[in-house]
Amino acid sequence: MPRLSAKTLPDGLRRPAYDRAALTPGIVHLGLGAFSRCHLTEYTEDALEHAFGPWGIRAVNLRPPALEPMLGVQDHLFIRELREGPVRDRRVIGAICDALTVTDAATLAKALSWVTDPATRVVTMTVTEKGYCHIPATGALDLTHPDIIHDIAHPETPRSLPGVIVAALAHIRAAGNSPPAFLSCDNVPGNGGTLHDCVAALAAATGHVSPDWIEANVAFPETMVDRIAPATKPADIAALAAETGVADQALVIGEPFRMWVIEADSRLWLPAWDAAGMILTADVPAYEAIKMRVLNGMQTGLSHLAHMAGHVTTATMMADPVFAAFARRTIRDEVTPTLPQVRGIDHAAYLDESIQRLTNTALEHTTAQISTDGSRKIRQRLLEPLMAANRPTPGLEIEVAGWIEHATRFALTDMAITDPIIPAITRILTETGNDPARTVPAILALTEVFPPTLTQLPGLTGRLTTIVQAMRTNGPLAAMRAHLST
Ligand code: CS2
């Protein structure tokens, strides 16, 4: 089966409507996964079609998977397919012009040369929550993280995302060039500020470039990104290949909905993403809170429970009336009162739309994928609305207890889920013997995940312990049903 490439593009597909041969790079993207292929790459494609300019994307993976065998052999072309019901909207994306995976000193040097190239105006990144090497409960750089320890000792050959940025900034400063903007596109709370703080803390620890220079010269805008784009499955690639006669190893599948909000900053020089609907505003935190507490809140709050209850995808989870009713009630009664107002967003309509999105049966977004790295997701998605609620939060407490019970189960058995918190949970289980009366308080004492303002809420530890005990005996559905019957 031939691979997708400029020569083998199947007929009948929407293709780049600009001259790809004239495309020159202006963006470096770090961490090219399904989400960024379906989101910022598509926005860039739209921008290039609207106002062609020097905005080709050079994609860098600091970790596997390797991009060269996936995209390099395809002339960096891939198909993005949007699915809803029976609709399949396919489009060939041409905005990526080069790709590289960092595996050794030579590839690292090349990646750094791309970031420091004066032609690079924006460095975007999707490296997942854990890629920032921050302490999730506080946002501060985790100086005990193995990659950070390495990068402090070897700042010229960094392994971490903050380390790569510090090394690049040191080169840019030495060359007297102006730095690009660094645009975090991950679901990290206050992603721009968190990135800035991690980079500045590492710069201070290495002495490689001064945090004051960074503060004065480098933009780290806040962003809110949104589109559901599950990891592509081999079966998706095989089905498309059977239909078109070409294999696209970089195929990405997503939902039609998309949204992108970026903090306005006079230093930014961006492609015409606004022509594709990107919003520039000073109010990113409000958009972020709404998205993370409602859409992401439901995904994370329900996925641990659903994964334990045997629901493989969010669509089957939402087809279960208990999950659907529990989701709506928790957001409506407990989370919505904590949401900021944003012009143009009606909270009730946003909830309806978010439930609709999670119900998309064509997507197959797995509860296992959402449950992965849950310890890096729950602060912004569950704990912050719980702390902001100022009222009883029985639904959110079931969701937090769901995370605790799920974390203990996956530490004890192989559930094909990864999370940096597993070693700490395993240690606790060894010490407490997996008795919720002792395990739950010990897990809540993990300050890297749970801020003290949360654990000091009156009665919370006792209530979470009771829910975990009940869940262990009767399962997650019983806990949700019991709440719904009140
Ligand atoms: C998901 C997100 O895996 C996850 O953590 O919750 O990737 C989610 O689908 C996106 O944030 C939607 O914009």
Side-chain angles (χ1 to χ4, degrees), residues 187 225-228 291 295-296 299 365 370 377 381:
N187 290 316
V225 292
D226 197 3
R227 172 169 264 174
I228 298 174
K291 188 253 177 173
L295 181 90
N296 291 147
Q299 288 176 312
H365 197 191
I370 297 168
K377 300 175 179 171
R381 300 179 181 201

Side-chain angles (χ1 to χ4, degrees), residues 63 130-134 141-152 160 376 420:
R63 307 270 178 276
K130 68 178 171 222
Y132 293 77
C133 305
H134 66 297
L141 183 68
D142 180 0
L143 292 165
T144 67
H145 191 294
D147 289 349
I148 298 302
I149 292 172
H150 171 276
D151 291 358
I152 292 172
S160 72
R376 268 53 188 163

Side-chain angles (χ1 to χ4, degrees), residues 352-415:
D352 286 342
E353 184 181 43
S354 300
I355 289 178
Q356 206 54 44
R357 291 170 63 197
L358 297 191
T359 309
N360 187 338
T361 47
L363 273 189
E364 296 178 13
H365 197 191
T366 65
T367 54
Q369 186 184 349
I370 297 168
S371 300
T372 296
D373 294 336
S375 70
R376 268 53 188 163
K377 300 175 179 171
I378 59 173
R379 170 184 153 203
Q380 55 274 30
R381 300 179 181 201
L382 307 181
L383 309 183
E384 280 180 356
L386 200 160
M387 288 187 283
N390 263 330
R391 65 182 67 216
T393 49
L396 286 168
E397 288 169 22
I398 290 172
E399 294 179 357
V400 176
W403 178 78
I404 294 174
E405 175 61 1
H406 187 258
T408 56
R409 286 200 203 177
F410 76 64
L412 289 169
T413 53
D414 178 13
M415 289 165 77

